[in-house]
Short mmCIF file of all heavy atoms in Angstrom, two decimals:
data_model
loop_
_atom_site.label_atom_id
_atom_site.label_comp_id
_atom_site.label_asym_id
_atom_site.label_seq_id
_atom_site.Cartn_x
_atom_site.Cartn_y
_atom_site.Cartn_z
N MET A 253 -137.81 141.83 21.09
CA MET A 253 -137.23 141.33 19.94
C MET A 253 -136.73 139.90 20.24
O MET A 253 -136.02 139.69 21.25
CB MET A 253 -136.08 142.24 19.44
CG MET A 253 -135.21 141.66 18.44
SD MET A 253 -133.96 142.75 17.96
CE MET A 253 -134.31 142.99 16.30
N ARG A 254 -137.04 138.98 19.45
CA ARG A 254 -136.52 137.56 19.48
C ARG A 254 -135.33 137.39 18.68
O ARG A 254 -135.30 137.76 17.51
CB ARG A 254 -137.62 136.59 19.16
CG ARG A 254 -137.20 135.10 19.39
CD ARG A 254 -138.34 134.17 19.23
NE ARG A 254 -139.36 134.29 20.24
CZ ARG A 254 -139.22 133.80 21.53
NH1 ARG A 254 -138.27 133.10 21.82
NH2 ARG A 254 -140.25 134.05 22.33
N VAL A 255 -134.24 136.80 19.29
CA VAL A 255 -132.94 136.61 18.62
C VAL A 255 -132.54 135.13 18.89
O VAL A 255 -132.56 134.64 20.01
CB VAL A 255 -131.87 137.57 19.12
CG1 VAL A 255 -130.59 137.35 18.37
CG2 VAL A 255 -132.32 139.02 19.00
N THR A 256 -132.15 134.44 17.85
CA THR A 256 -131.63 133.09 17.88
C THR A 256 -130.13 133.26 18.06
O THR A 256 -129.42 133.86 17.21
CB THR A 256 -131.96 132.26 16.72
OG1 THR A 256 -133.32 132.22 16.56
CG2 THR A 256 -131.42 130.97 16.73
N CYS A 257 -129.58 132.60 19.13
CA CYS A 257 -128.10 132.74 19.43
C CYS A 257 -127.53 131.32 19.38
O CYS A 257 -127.86 130.51 20.27
CB CYS A 257 -127.90 133.30 20.82
SG CYS A 257 -128.55 135.00 21.05
N GLU A 258 -126.80 131.11 18.42
CA GLU A 258 -126.08 129.82 18.33
C GLU A 258 -124.67 129.98 19.00
O GLU A 258 -123.81 130.63 18.51
CB GLU A 258 -125.89 129.37 16.86
CG GLU A 258 -125.11 128.14 16.71
CD GLU A 258 -124.47 127.93 15.33
OE1 GLU A 258 -124.89 128.63 14.36
OE2 GLU A 258 -123.65 127.02 15.21
N VAL A 259 -124.53 129.29 20.15
CA VAL A 259 -123.25 129.24 20.81
C VAL A 259 -122.49 128.16 20.16
O VAL A 259 -122.78 126.98 20.27
CB VAL A 259 -123.40 129.01 22.34
CG1 VAL A 259 -122.04 128.98 22.95
CG2 VAL A 259 -124.31 130.06 22.94
N VAL A 260 -121.39 128.44 19.43
CA VAL A 260 -120.61 127.57 18.63
C VAL A 260 -120.14 126.32 19.42
O VAL A 260 -119.55 126.50 20.41
CB VAL A 260 -119.50 128.25 17.90
CG1 VAL A 260 -118.64 127.23 17.08
CG2 VAL A 260 -119.98 129.39 17.04
N GLY A 261 -120.52 125.14 19.00
CA GLY A 261 -120.10 123.90 19.65
C GLY A 261 -120.92 123.60 20.89
O GLY A 261 -120.61 122.63 21.61
N GLU A 262 -121.98 124.34 21.16
CA GLU A 262 -122.83 124.17 22.30
C GLU A 262 -124.30 124.18 21.91
O GLU A 262 -124.63 123.58 20.96
CB GLU A 262 -122.52 125.10 23.39
CG GLU A 262 -121.04 125.02 23.91
CD GLU A 262 -120.68 125.92 25.07
OE1 GLU A 262 -121.67 126.40 25.74
OE2 GLU A 262 -119.57 126.26 25.20
N GLU A 263 -125.07 124.96 22.59
CA GLU A 263 -126.52 124.99 22.35
C GLU A 263 -126.92 126.22 21.55
O GLU A 263 -126.12 127.14 21.40
CB GLU A 263 -127.20 125.08 23.76
CG GLU A 263 -127.02 123.96 24.69
CD GLU A 263 -127.66 124.13 26.05
OE1 GLU A 263 -128.17 125.24 26.31
OE2 GLU A 263 -127.66 123.15 26.82
N THR A 264 -128.14 126.11 21.08
CA THR A 264 -128.80 127.26 20.41
C THR A 264 -129.91 127.74 21.37
O THR A 264 -130.64 127.02 21.93
CB THR A 264 -129.37 126.92 19.10
OG1 THR A 264 -128.25 126.46 18.25
CG2 THR A 264 -130.07 128.08 18.39
N HIS A 265 -129.85 129.13 21.52
CA HIS A 265 -130.89 129.70 22.47
C HIS A 265 -131.84 130.70 21.69
O HIS A 265 -131.29 131.42 20.87
CB HIS A 265 -130.19 130.54 23.58
CG HIS A 265 -129.18 129.72 24.31
ND1 HIS A 265 -129.52 129.09 25.51
CD2 HIS A 265 -127.86 129.56 24.21
CE1 HIS A 265 -128.43 128.48 26.02
NE2 HIS A 265 -127.42 128.79 25.20
N ASP A 266 -133.10 130.65 22.02
CA ASP A 266 -133.97 131.72 21.47
C ASP A 266 -134.16 132.62 22.63
O ASP A 266 -134.64 132.26 23.68
CB ASP A 266 -135.30 131.14 21.04
CG ASP A 266 -135.18 130.35 19.76
OD1 ASP A 266 -134.47 130.85 18.83
OD2 ASP A 266 -135.85 129.36 19.59
N VAL A 267 -133.70 133.91 22.45
CA VAL A 267 -133.68 134.90 23.50
C VAL A 267 -134.60 136.02 23.21
O VAL A 267 -134.63 136.52 22.05
CB VAL A 267 -132.25 135.39 23.71
CG1 VAL A 267 -132.18 136.46 24.77
CG2 VAL A 267 -131.32 134.30 24.01
N GLU A 268 -135.32 136.45 24.17
CA GLU A 268 -136.18 137.72 24.04
C GLU A 268 -135.50 138.83 24.69
O GLU A 268 -135.12 138.76 25.87
CB GLU A 268 -137.53 137.39 24.72
CG GLU A 268 -138.56 138.49 24.44
CD GLU A 268 -139.09 138.39 22.95
OE1 GLU A 268 -139.11 137.41 22.42
OE2 GLU A 268 -139.36 139.49 22.43
N VAL A 269 -135.19 139.93 23.91
CA VAL A 269 -134.50 141.07 24.42
C VAL A 269 -135.29 142.32 24.17
O VAL A 269 -136.17 142.35 23.23
CB VAL A 269 -133.05 141.22 23.86
CG1 VAL A 269 -132.16 140.10 24.36
CG2 VAL A 269 -133.11 141.37 22.37
N GLU A 270 -134.99 143.42 24.88
CA GLU A 270 -135.69 144.63 24.65
C GLU A 270 -135.33 145.27 23.29
O GLU A 270 -134.25 144.89 22.77
CB GLU A 270 -135.30 145.72 25.76
CG GLU A 270 -135.67 145.19 27.17
CD GLU A 270 -137.19 145.18 27.36
OE1 GLU A 270 -137.90 145.99 26.82
OE2 GLU A 270 -137.60 144.24 28.10
N ALA A 271 -136.18 146.18 22.82
CA ALA A 271 -135.85 146.75 21.49
C ALA A 271 -134.53 147.52 21.48
O ALA A 271 -133.86 147.65 20.46
CB ALA A 271 -137.03 147.64 21.11
N ASP A 272 -134.14 148.09 22.61
CA ASP A 272 -132.86 148.85 22.71
C ASP A 272 -131.71 148.08 23.23
O ASP A 272 -130.66 148.64 23.60
CB ASP A 272 -133.09 150.12 23.52
CG ASP A 272 -133.49 149.79 24.95
OD1 ASP A 272 -133.81 148.63 25.27
OD2 ASP A 272 -133.45 150.68 25.80
N ALA A 273 -131.83 146.77 23.15
CA ALA A 273 -130.68 145.92 23.78
C ALA A 273 -129.47 146.00 22.89
O ALA A 273 -129.53 146.25 21.72
CB ALA A 273 -131.16 144.43 23.81
N THR A 274 -128.30 145.76 23.56
CA THR A 274 -127.03 145.71 22.89
C THR A 274 -126.58 144.23 22.85
O THR A 274 -127.15 143.35 23.37
CB THR A 274 -125.91 146.54 23.66
OG1 THR A 274 -125.72 145.89 24.96
CG2 THR A 274 -126.38 147.95 23.76
N TYR A 275 -125.48 144.08 22.05
CA TYR A 275 -124.98 142.69 21.86
C TYR A 275 -124.40 142.22 23.24
O TYR A 275 -124.37 141.00 23.53
CB TYR A 275 -123.96 142.60 20.77
CG TYR A 275 -124.61 142.65 19.44
CD1 TYR A 275 -124.63 143.80 18.69
CD2 TYR A 275 -125.38 141.54 18.97
CE1 TYR A 275 -125.28 143.84 17.39
CE2 TYR A 275 -125.99 141.58 17.75
CZ TYR A 275 -126.04 142.72 16.97
OH TYR A 275 -126.71 142.83 15.73
N GLY A 276 -123.92 143.15 24.08
CA GLY A 276 -123.52 142.78 25.51
C GLY A 276 -124.70 142.22 26.28
O GLY A 276 -124.58 141.33 26.97
N ASP A 277 -125.84 142.88 26.08
CA ASP A 277 -127.05 142.35 26.77
C ASP A 277 -127.43 141.05 26.27
O ASP A 277 -127.87 140.17 27.06
CB ASP A 277 -128.24 143.31 26.56
CG ASP A 277 -128.05 144.72 27.01
OD1 ASP A 277 -127.36 144.86 28.14
OD2 ASP A 277 -128.57 145.67 26.46
N LEU A 278 -127.23 140.75 24.99
CA LEU A 278 -127.53 139.47 24.40
C LEU A 278 -126.66 138.42 25.05
O LEU A 278 -127.14 137.26 25.31
CB LEU A 278 -127.44 139.53 22.90
CG LEU A 278 -127.95 138.49 22.01
CD1 LEU A 278 -129.46 138.31 22.27
CD2 LEU A 278 -127.66 138.76 20.59
N LEU A 279 -125.33 138.69 25.17
CA LEU A 279 -124.45 137.73 25.78
C LEU A 279 -124.89 137.43 27.19
O LEU A 279 -124.91 136.26 27.62
CB LEU A 279 -123.00 138.32 25.80
CG LEU A 279 -122.28 138.22 24.54
CD1 LEU A 279 -120.89 138.91 24.55
CD2 LEU A 279 -122.05 136.74 24.06
N GLU A 280 -125.23 138.44 27.94
CA GLU A 280 -125.71 138.29 29.33
C GLU A 280 -126.98 137.40 29.35
O GLU A 280 -127.07 136.55 30.25
CB GLU A 280 -126.06 139.63 29.98
CG GLU A 280 -126.37 139.58 31.39
CD GLU A 280 -126.64 140.97 31.90
OE1 GLU A 280 -125.79 141.89 31.74
OE2 GLU A 280 -127.69 141.11 32.63
N ALA A 281 -127.85 137.57 28.41
CA ALA A 281 -129.06 136.75 28.36
C ALA A 281 -128.77 135.25 28.16
O ALA A 281 -129.56 134.41 28.60
CB ALA A 281 -130.01 137.27 27.21
N VAL A 282 -127.64 134.88 27.52
CA VAL A 282 -127.33 133.45 27.38
C VAL A 282 -126.35 133.03 28.39
O VAL A 282 -125.77 131.90 28.36
CB VAL A 282 -126.83 133.13 25.91
CG1 VAL A 282 -127.91 133.44 24.92
CG2 VAL A 282 -125.49 133.96 25.63
N GLY A 283 -126.11 133.90 29.42
CA GLY A 283 -125.22 133.46 30.53
C GLY A 283 -123.74 133.61 30.29
O GLY A 283 -122.96 132.96 30.96
N LEU A 284 -123.38 134.46 29.38
CA LEU A 284 -121.91 134.77 29.14
C LEU A 284 -121.58 136.15 29.27
O LEU A 284 -122.47 137.09 29.17
CB LEU A 284 -121.60 134.32 27.72
CG LEU A 284 -121.83 132.83 27.30
CD1 LEU A 284 -121.68 132.54 25.88
CD2 LEU A 284 -120.77 131.97 28.13
N SER A 285 -120.30 136.39 29.63
CA SER A 285 -119.82 137.81 29.69
C SER A 285 -119.06 138.28 28.48
O SER A 285 -118.64 137.40 27.69
CB SER A 285 -118.89 137.99 30.93
OG SER A 285 -117.68 137.35 30.67
N THR A 286 -118.89 139.53 28.30
CA THR A 286 -118.14 140.03 27.11
C THR A 286 -116.76 139.71 27.19
O THR A 286 -116.05 139.80 26.19
CB THR A 286 -118.29 141.65 27.06
OG1 THR A 286 -117.88 142.21 28.29
CG2 THR A 286 -119.81 141.99 26.83
N GLN A 287 -116.19 139.35 28.36
CA GLN A 287 -114.80 138.95 28.53
C GLN A 287 -114.57 137.50 28.00
O GLN A 287 -113.48 137.13 27.70
CB GLN A 287 -114.25 139.05 29.92
CG GLN A 287 -114.14 140.46 30.39
CD GLN A 287 -115.37 141.13 30.83
OE1 GLN A 287 -116.35 140.50 31.26
NE2 GLN A 287 -115.50 142.43 30.69
N GLU A 288 -115.61 136.66 27.96
CA GLU A 288 -115.42 135.31 27.63
C GLU A 288 -116.00 134.90 26.25
O GLU A 288 -115.83 133.72 25.83
CB GLU A 288 -116.00 134.39 28.70
CG GLU A 288 -117.52 134.42 28.86
CD GLU A 288 -118.03 133.56 30.01
OE1 GLU A 288 -117.62 132.38 30.12
OE2 GLU A 288 -118.92 133.99 30.69
N ALA A 289 -116.70 135.87 25.62
CA ALA A 289 -117.35 135.49 24.27
C ALA A 289 -117.48 136.67 23.43
O ALA A 289 -117.47 137.83 23.87
CB ALA A 289 -118.66 134.90 24.56
N SER A 290 -117.56 136.37 22.15
CA SER A 290 -117.79 137.48 21.12
C SER A 290 -119.03 137.06 20.34
O SER A 290 -119.32 135.94 20.07
CB SER A 290 -116.61 137.57 20.14
OG SER A 290 -115.48 138.12 20.83
N VAL A 291 -119.81 138.11 19.89
CA VAL A 291 -120.91 137.88 19.03
C VAL A 291 -120.50 138.10 17.60
O VAL A 291 -119.89 139.14 17.21
CB VAL A 291 -122.06 138.81 19.41
CG1 VAL A 291 -123.26 138.68 18.45
CG2 VAL A 291 -122.46 138.62 20.85
N LEU A 292 -120.92 137.16 16.74
CA LEU A 292 -120.65 137.38 15.28
C LEU A 292 -122.02 137.49 14.59
O LEU A 292 -122.97 136.78 14.77
CB LEU A 292 -119.99 136.04 14.77
CG LEU A 292 -118.67 135.66 15.45
CD1 LEU A 292 -118.21 134.31 14.89
CD2 LEU A 292 -117.65 136.66 15.31
N VAL A 293 -122.04 138.51 13.67
CA VAL A 293 -123.12 138.71 12.73
C VAL A 293 -122.60 138.55 11.37
O VAL A 293 -121.68 139.24 10.96
CB VAL A 293 -123.79 140.16 12.95
CG1 VAL A 293 -124.85 140.48 11.94
CG2 VAL A 293 -124.30 140.28 14.41
N ASP A 294 -123.19 137.70 10.62
CA ASP A 294 -122.69 137.32 9.25
C ASP A 294 -121.26 137.09 9.21
O ASP A 294 -120.47 137.50 8.28
CB ASP A 294 -123.03 138.51 8.33
CG ASP A 294 -124.52 138.72 8.12
OD1 ASP A 294 -125.27 137.69 8.16
OD2 ASP A 294 -124.97 139.88 8.00
N GLY A 295 -120.73 136.37 10.25
CA GLY A 295 -119.33 135.96 10.33
C GLY A 295 -118.39 137.04 10.82
O GLY A 295 -117.18 136.77 10.90
N ASN A 296 -118.91 138.19 11.18
CA ASN A 296 -118.02 139.31 11.61
C ASN A 296 -118.29 139.67 13.05
O ASN A 296 -119.52 139.73 13.44
CB ASN A 296 -118.23 140.51 10.71
CG ASN A 296 -117.86 140.30 9.26
OD1 ASN A 296 -116.73 139.91 9.00
ND2 ASN A 296 -118.80 140.59 8.33
N PRO A 297 -117.24 139.90 13.90
CA PRO A 297 -117.54 140.32 15.28
C PRO A 297 -118.07 141.70 15.29
O PRO A 297 -117.86 142.53 14.46
CB PRO A 297 -116.14 140.28 15.88
CG PRO A 297 -115.16 140.39 14.78
CD PRO A 297 -115.85 139.81 13.56
N VAL A 298 -118.96 141.86 16.30
CA VAL A 298 -119.61 143.20 16.46
C VAL A 298 -119.36 143.67 17.91
O VAL A 298 -119.05 142.87 18.83
CB VAL A 298 -121.17 143.01 16.36
CG1 VAL A 298 -121.49 142.82 14.83
CG2 VAL A 298 -121.81 142.09 17.20
N PRO A 299 -119.19 145.04 18.07
CA PRO A 299 -118.94 145.61 19.38
C PRO A 299 -120.08 145.25 20.39
O PRO A 299 -121.26 145.20 19.95
CB PRO A 299 -118.84 147.06 19.17
CG PRO A 299 -118.78 147.24 17.69
CD PRO A 299 -119.36 146.01 17.08
N GLU A 300 -119.75 145.10 21.63
CA GLU A 300 -120.72 144.77 22.67
C GLU A 300 -121.67 145.88 22.87
O GLU A 300 -122.78 145.68 23.35
CB GLU A 300 -120.03 144.43 23.94
CG GLU A 300 -119.30 145.59 24.64
CD GLU A 300 -118.50 145.24 25.79
OE1 GLU A 300 -117.51 144.62 25.72
OE2 GLU A 300 -118.94 145.62 26.92
N ASP A 301 -121.32 147.13 22.69
CA ASP A 301 -122.29 148.27 22.89
C ASP A 301 -123.09 148.59 21.66
O ASP A 301 -123.91 149.52 21.72
CB ASP A 301 -121.46 149.48 23.30
CG ASP A 301 -120.44 149.91 22.38
OD1 ASP A 301 -120.08 149.28 21.37
OD2 ASP A 301 -119.89 151.09 22.59
N ARG A 302 -122.93 147.85 20.62
CA ARG A 302 -123.83 148.13 19.35
C ARG A 302 -125.23 147.55 19.60
O ARG A 302 -125.34 146.48 20.14
CB ARG A 302 -123.17 147.40 18.23
CG ARG A 302 -123.92 147.56 16.90
CD ARG A 302 -123.10 146.95 15.73
NE ARG A 302 -124.00 146.50 14.73
CZ ARG A 302 -123.62 145.89 13.59
NH1 ARG A 302 -122.31 145.54 13.47
NH2 ARG A 302 -124.44 145.47 12.73
N PRO A 303 -126.27 148.31 19.21
CA PRO A 303 -127.60 147.87 19.35
C PRO A 303 -127.88 146.60 18.48
O PRO A 303 -127.34 146.49 17.39
CB PRO A 303 -128.46 149.00 18.88
CG PRO A 303 -127.61 150.18 18.93
CD PRO A 303 -126.17 149.66 18.73
N VAL A 304 -128.64 145.65 19.03
CA VAL A 304 -129.00 144.42 18.30
C VAL A 304 -129.79 144.79 17.10
O VAL A 304 -130.82 145.47 17.22
CB VAL A 304 -129.74 143.41 19.23
CG1 VAL A 304 -130.17 142.22 18.41
CG2 VAL A 304 -128.87 142.99 20.40
N ASP A 305 -129.37 144.36 15.92
CA ASP A 305 -130.12 144.70 14.65
C ASP A 305 -130.31 143.53 13.80
O ASP A 305 -130.47 143.70 12.61
CB ASP A 305 -129.32 145.81 13.93
CG ASP A 305 -127.91 145.45 13.61
OD1 ASP A 305 -127.51 144.33 13.90
OD2 ASP A 305 -127.24 146.29 12.96
N THR A 306 -130.31 142.33 14.32
CA THR A 306 -130.58 141.15 13.52
C THR A 306 -131.32 140.09 14.37
O THR A 306 -131.31 140.24 15.64
CB THR A 306 -129.20 140.50 13.06
OG1 THR A 306 -129.50 139.42 12.16
CG2 THR A 306 -128.30 140.10 14.19
N ASP A 307 -131.87 139.06 13.77
CA ASP A 307 -132.52 138.10 14.58
C ASP A 307 -131.85 136.82 14.69
O ASP A 307 -132.38 135.80 15.23
CB ASP A 307 -133.91 137.85 13.92
CG ASP A 307 -133.90 137.25 12.46
OD1 ASP A 307 -132.77 137.13 11.97
OD2 ASP A 307 -134.91 137.02 11.93
N SER A 308 -130.61 136.72 14.20
CA SER A 308 -129.86 135.55 14.42
C SER A 308 -128.32 135.90 14.49
O SER A 308 -127.80 136.63 13.58
CB SER A 308 -130.02 134.63 13.11
OG SER A 308 -129.34 133.44 13.22
N VAL A 309 -127.62 135.26 15.49
CA VAL A 309 -126.21 135.64 15.67
C VAL A 309 -125.60 134.24 16.07
O VAL A 309 -126.15 133.28 16.45
CB VAL A 309 -125.98 136.56 16.77
CG1 VAL A 309 -126.60 137.93 16.49
CG2 VAL A 309 -126.44 136.06 18.17
N ARG A 310 -124.19 134.23 15.91
CA ARG A 310 -123.35 133.15 16.44
C ARG A 310 -122.56 133.72 17.50
O ARG A 310 -122.06 134.86 17.43
CB ARG A 310 -122.44 132.63 15.34
CG ARG A 310 -123.20 131.98 14.22
CD ARG A 310 -122.39 131.35 13.18
NE ARG A 310 -122.03 129.98 13.73
CZ ARG A 310 -121.04 129.26 13.17
NH1 ARG A 310 -120.31 129.72 12.21
NH2 ARG A 310 -120.74 128.07 13.66
N VAL A 311 -122.40 133.01 18.64
CA VAL A 311 -121.61 133.38 19.81
C VAL A 311 -120.42 132.45 19.84
O VAL A 311 -120.53 131.22 19.84
CB VAL A 311 -122.47 133.32 21.14
CG1 VAL A 311 -121.59 133.64 22.22
CG2 VAL A 311 -123.68 134.29 21.00
N LEU A 312 -119.23 133.04 19.81
CA LEU A 312 -118.00 132.38 19.90
C LEU A 312 -117.38 132.44 21.30
O LEU A 312 -117.00 133.56 21.74
CB LEU A 312 -117.05 132.80 18.85
CG LEU A 312 -115.65 132.19 18.77
CD1 LEU A 312 -115.89 130.56 18.39
CD2 LEU A 312 -114.86 132.75 17.72
N ARG A 313 -117.34 131.37 22.07
CA ARG A 313 -116.66 131.43 23.37
C ARG A 313 -115.16 131.47 23.27
O ARG A 313 -114.58 130.69 22.52
CB ARG A 313 -117.08 130.19 24.19
CG ARG A 313 -118.58 130.29 24.67
CD ARG A 313 -118.77 129.17 25.54
NE ARG A 313 -118.25 129.53 26.93
CZ ARG A 313 -118.66 128.91 28.03
NH1 ARG A 313 -119.61 128.07 28.08
NH2 ARG A 313 -118.07 129.18 29.17
N LEU A 314 -114.57 132.52 23.88
CA LEU A 314 -113.20 132.61 23.86
C LEU A 314 -112.46 131.92 24.97
O LEU A 314 -111.31 131.55 24.87
CB LEU A 314 -112.78 134.16 23.87
CG LEU A 314 -113.52 135.00 22.82
CD1 LEU A 314 -113.27 136.46 23.07
CD2 LEU A 314 -113.11 134.53 21.44
N ILE A 315 -113.17 131.83 26.05
CA ILE A 315 -112.65 131.18 27.33
C ILE A 315 -113.68 130.17 27.84
O ILE A 315 -114.94 130.50 27.86
CB ILE A 315 -112.46 132.27 28.43
CG1 ILE A 315 -111.41 133.29 27.97
CG2 ILE A 315 -111.98 131.63 29.72
CD1 ILE A 315 -111.24 134.47 28.82
N LYS A 316 -113.22 129.04 28.20
CA LYS A 316 -114.12 127.97 28.74
C LYS A 316 -113.39 127.23 29.83
O LYS A 316 -112.25 126.91 29.71
CB LYS A 316 -114.63 127.03 27.70
CG LYS A 316 -115.65 126.10 28.10
CD LYS A 316 -116.17 125.33 26.94
CE LYS A 316 -117.27 124.28 27.50
NZ LYS A 316 -117.87 123.57 26.39
N GLY A 317 -114.11 126.94 30.87
CA GLY A 317 -113.53 126.22 32.06
C GLY A 317 -112.96 127.18 33.07
O GLY A 317 -113.32 128.28 33.10
N GLY A 318 -112.13 126.60 33.96
CA GLY A 318 -111.68 127.46 35.04
C GLY A 318 -110.42 127.03 35.63
O GLY A 318 -109.57 126.31 35.18
#
């Protein structure tokens, strides 16, 4: 499944994930962890263990830098 991930204020990624992928897997595919970012579907946050069920998401980084 191909998903477009817009990381807010950064880049947009086209990611290929397995059919049974979760939103946590999607974050991992763009190089982020569930502790530093949240996935938004239609403007609403979704749980990391929910299966991916859309082809476009926004990723909001909660932590940046070190």
Side-chain angles (χ1 to χ4, degrees):
M253 167 184 244
R254 181 170 296 275
V255 181
T256 300
C257 300
E258 176 196 349
V259 181
V260 176
E262 297 182 25
E263 300 177 349
T264 298
H265 304 268
D266 286 321
V267 179
E268 190 71 36
V269 293
E270 298 294 324
D272 62 347
T274 64
Y275 287 105
D277 297 330
L278 195 57
L279 283 175
E280 185 177 314
V282 296
L284 298 170
S285 73
T286 56
Q287 289 79 29
E288 66 182 317
S290 290
V291 177
L292 305 175
V293 175
D294 296 327
N296 298 307
V298 292
E300 67 185 71
D301 60 349
R302 179 174 152 184
V304 176
D305 57 359
T306 187
D307 62 356
S308 179
V309 300
R310 295 183 83 194
V311 176
L312 181 61
R313 286 187 75 158
L314 307 172
I315 300 171
K316 186 173 181 177

